[in-house]
Amino acid sequence: MSHLDPFTSSGKEEGTPLSLQREHRISEWVWSTELVRSERDPKQRRYFAKSALLNPSFPSFTSSVNALTTTACLAGLVLCPAIVARITESICHYRCASGTVPLLRGMRDYLPSCFAIRQSIENEARRVSRLYGYQEVDTPVVEETSLFRRTLGSGSDVVQKEMFEFKDKSSTEVTLRPEGTAGIGRMITRKDFALYRSLPHRFFYCGPMFRYERPQKGRQRQFSQVGVECIGEESSLADAEVVVMAHQFLDSLELASSPTLQINTLGDVEDRLAYKAELTNFLQERKEKLSVDSLNRLERGAVLRILDSKESNDKELLKGAPRLEDFLSERSSTRFENVLRALEKEGIPFERSSHLVRGLDYYCHTVFEYVSSEIGAQGAVLAGGRYDGLIESLGGPPTPAVGWAAGTDRLALLRTETIDSQFLPICAIIPTGNHNEETEDLIKGYCMRVAGALRRSGIETHLQYKTRYTSKLLATALQNGASAAIFIGENEVSRGKFILKDLKSRAEREVGSIDELADAVSNILNAFS
């Protein structure tokens, strides 16, 4: 093992600004660490790790020391504290020199193409839920922290580790919502709305959620969800119907691979209490074999969550654990069989999963997940179940309820269809010619009149204000997805006629008036709407 000063090895590039040198080292760092991760041969991995350490500029300040330590271990090197301090200082200088505000870890920006995919998923969920009689609602992004502690359970992973919670200026403890069901439940209990007096209700929602987790594929700290809540229906057929609706929604998205429906029952409160006591005794006698996370769950009483552990030693231990189905009452068993029978009649394939428990305390009876193996460790793309005790825990009357939520970002990873932005129902108005300032103002004013007339006719119209380089303006229109273009120059203004071009077929025609122009443009755009 040897000490290494990565800065003395890299040297300086003559004539290159310091900030640009740092940018070069960042690129080299990313390239080298990717080689380290992907290389299976130990000797080659150590070689690539040493290469990475020669230029250790890091894309993320918060993870730099961990990344450095990991790479050094792979290289068989020990880094002294002075070197770590110099690297940290270098990153700080890079951040200051760049003059930009970095994106927070775990957050993302949506460019138009990505946003269009997310929006299409939300619109499809909205359309399918409307077929089942659901109405759209919205709740605040920020709620009192006590709402989630009471509903999700103080021992749940979400409350313990994943909530964005803070005090506002009036010292009230508030939280960015980690999920949508608790807010819907609070809305039901509002006395001024009195929604609990007019049950049942069927609500659809979509919007951003927040969880402070380690970012990875399919899991960000801010993410978007769509969801449904059927409140006031106790029948097992309501459970089956929300699963059928979820299946129809996923099927309509034309995903690259069909997620698998896994389903289980948690029984009622008495069933779970008896089972939790037996499972707790079983695990207490073998707790030295549990993973760290599972041991923490055992100590804080979230024993059912251990059943969902992904650790191999936990899975092996749980093979001999008591089974929840052996503790179900006859009523709970019959209810679950009715749900499964209804799904079979609807032709919905499913797998019974005795270890499926869901991560939130408010669930009872039916729980289910749609799982895909195509998106890595975060396999669940849609999940839900019954939560009969949630509204009562918030001070409302005993109210049965069932629902589900789906992550739009994870579903986007499975989409086979891309949003075709080459040709959209958009018309572009392109000023033409090379004129003096007075003539240019005349043409631009006329273009605005034509654009206004088309917009009043319900046509999406993009107006460009430059009057030179027509080919570049046309290229911009195509880049923005326009399928029709109107060319207006001095000749068109004086004659009151226009050149209309279908950008897909490249056919051109002359149009004699603004009224006729609106109809002609609509005929072209209707093929893309």
Side-chain angles (χ1 to χ4, degrees):
M1 305 284 278
S2 60
H3 290 287
L4 173 70
D5 186 341
F7 290 96
T8 60
S9 303
S10 58
K12 292 185 179 180
E13 302 169 26
E14 291 296 331
T16 304
L18 183 59
S19 60
L20 189 57
Q21 290 182 39
R22 293 191 181 105
E23 289 183 15
H24 290 166
R25 289 202 296 269
I26 282 181
S27 299
E28 292 173 15
W29 162 260
V30 172
W31 176 78
S32 299
T33 50
E34 286 302 316
L35 289 175
V36 171
R37 293 190 188 100
S38 61
E39 180 57 53
R40 294 184 178 181
D41 180 63
K43 291 183 179 179
Q44 283 293 99
R45 190 163 60 244
R46 283 194 294 271
Y47 171 77
F48 289 138
K50 288 182 179 180
S51 299
L53 288 169
L54 289 176
N55 292 284
S57 294
F58 298 88
S60 169
F61 173 79
T62 55
S63 63
S64 60
V65 175
N66 288 336
L68 176 63
T69 304
T70 301
T71 310
C73 289
L74 288 170
L77 300 167
V78 175
L79 297 179
C80 64
I83 294 174
V84 175
R86 290 183 63 183
I87 292 173
T88 303
E89 182 182 3
S90 174
I91 297 164
C92 291
H93 287 164
Y94 171 75
R95 282 284 178 89
C96 295
S98 66
T100 60
V101 179
L103 181 69
L104 286 174
R105 188 167 185 242
M107 307 298 178
R108 64 175 294 186
D109 296 314
Y110 288 88
L111 294 176
S113 58
C114 295
F115 185 80
I117 294 174
R118 192 186 92 182
Q119 193 174 48
S120 71
I121 294 172
E122 292 174 351
N123 288 339
E124 192 60 26
R126 188 175 284 111
R127 182 190 70 82
V128 172
S129 67
R130 199 176 294 126
L131 296 176
Y132 288 77
Y134 285 73
Q135 297 176 303
E136 187 163 0
V137 295
D138 194 17
T139 58
V141 172
V142 181
E143 300 269 12
E144 284 199 18
T145 301
S146 59
L147 170 67
F148 302 109
R149 288 179 179 164
R150 290 169 66 176
T151 57
L152 309 187
S154 58
S156 67
D157 286 355
V158 175
V159 172
Q160 287 283 320
K161 300 184 294 185
E162 298 172 5
M163 293 204 306
F164 280 88
E165 52 184 316
F166 53 93
K167 288 185 177 181
D168 65 11
K169 292 185 178 180
S170 63
S171 296
T172 302
E173 290 189 353
V174 296
T175 295
L176 297 176
R177 63 183 182 190
E179 55 94 53
T181 303
I184 300 288
R186 177 199 49 72
M187 183 177 69
I188 292 291
T189 63
R190 284 186 57 171
K191 298 192 184 306
D192 53 341
F193 285 179
L195 293 173
Y196 52 85
R197 295 178 182 172
S198 56
L199 299 173
H201 295 290
R202 298 183 174 214
F203 293 138
F204 165 83
Y205 65 88
C206 69
M209 311 293 166
F210 303 84
R211 293 192 186 183
Y212 196 86
E213 300 179 283
R214 183 172 62 85
Q216 57 182 276
K217 182 180 180 181
R219 183 174 71 182
Q220 298 294 322
R221 291 177 176 176
Q222 177 179 335
F223 54 97
S224 179
Q225 278 190 345
V226 295
V228 298
E229 313 293 353
C230 178
I231 299 167
E233 294 286 3
E234 188 176 9
S235 171
S236 60
L237 292 179
D239 299 25
E241 185 183 64
V242 297
V243 176
V244 172
M245 177 169 51
H247 189 85
Q248 182 176 349
F249 163 57
L250 294 176
D251 195 48
S252 69
L253 295 178
E254 299 180 358
L255 303 178
S257 61
S258 298
T260 302
L261 170 60
Q262 298 182 352
I263 192 167
N264 191 25
T265 179
L266 301 180
D268 56 25
V269 175
E270 291 76 17
D271 299 339
R272 289 196 305 282
L273 286 176
Y275 176 62
K276 284 177 70 174
E278 188 69 21
L279 182 60
T280 299
N281 291 335
F282 173 85
L283 295 174
Q284 283 286 3
E285 295 172 357
R286 301 160 177 81
K287 62 182 181 180
E288 69 279 356
K289 298 181 180 179
L290 290 172
S291 65
V292 175
D293 281 346
S294 293
L295 186 59
N296 289 336
R297 288 166 179 164
L298 179 63
E299 291 174 350
R300 66 175 187 257
V303 64
L304 292 182
R305 289 289 289 118
I306 299 175
L307 297 175
D308 200 31
S309 173
K310 303 298 188 293
E311 298 291 335
S312 57
N313 56 325
D314 291 341
K315 288 182 178 180
E316 188 65 29
L317 179 62
L318 290 170
K319 288 180 180 179
R323 298 171 66 87
L324 175 57
E325 59 193 49
D326 297 329
F327 291 79
L328 296 177
S329 64
E330 183 178 353
R331 177 178 175 274
S332 296
S333 296
T334 302
R335 190 183 194 287
F336 188 49
E337 291 300 326
N338 289 339
V339 174
L340 299 183
R341 195 175 300 113
L343 294 178
E344 288 174 346
K345 289 180 179 179
E346 291 292 327
I348 307 295
F350 59 83
E351 294 179 0
R352 294 185 65 165
S353 175
S354 60
H355 287 171
L356 177 60
V357 294
R358 304 290 296 124
L360 307 177
D361 283 6
Y362 54 60
Y363 282 111
C364 63
H365 290 298
T366 307
V367 290
F368 59 92
E369 287 183 346
Y370 275 89
V371 180
S372 172
S373 60
E374 302 295 322
I375 55 174
Q378 303 306 310
V381 297
L382 183 150
R386 178 162 286 277
Y387 51 96
D388 291 347
L390 182 140
I391 292 174
E392 185 178 9
S393 73
L394 293 174
T399 307
V402 62
W404 54 257
T408 58
D409 295 322
R410 294 185 187 179
L411 289 172
L413 294 174
L414 294 175
R415 290 293 296 272
T416 55
E417 173 193 0
T418 57
I419 303 301
D420 184 9
S421 59
Q422 184 177 2
F423 293 110
L424 298 173
I426 298 170
C427 178
I429 295 181
I430 300 177
T432 63
N434 189 357
H435 310 286
N436 57 43
E437 186 174 343
E438 183 179 349
T439 306
E440 281 190 10
D441 290 341
L442 178 65
I443 293 173
K444 290 176 183 177
Y446 198 76
C447 288
M448 289 190 67
R449 284 180 53 200
V450 174
L454 294 177
R455 289 164 181 158
R456 286 190 292 273
S457 298
I459 297 172
E460 182 177 345
T461 306
H462 294 187
L463 174 59
Q464 301 189 58
Y465 293 99
K466 293 182 179 179
T467 59
R468 297 171 185 164
Y469 309 113
T470 303
S471 60
K472 290 186 178 180
L473 298 181
L474 182 58
T476 301
L478 287 168
Q479 184 179 351
N480 291 334
S483 52
I486 302 169
F487 297 89
I488 300 178
E490 187 174 7
N491 187 42
E492 285 74 27
V493 172
S494 62
R495 295 171 58 224
K497 296 184 178 182
F498 313 94
I499 301 297
L500 173 62
K501 184 171 184 175
D502 184 330
L503 295 181
K504 185 174 184 180
S505 68
R506 301 187 180 277
E508 291 186 5
R509 57 172 290 196
E510 188 176 76
V511 182
S513 68
I514 292 181
D515 292 337
E516 185 183 346
L517 181 65
D519 293 335
V521 171
S522 295
N523 290 335
I524 295 175
L525 302 189
N526 285 340
F528 303 96
S529 58

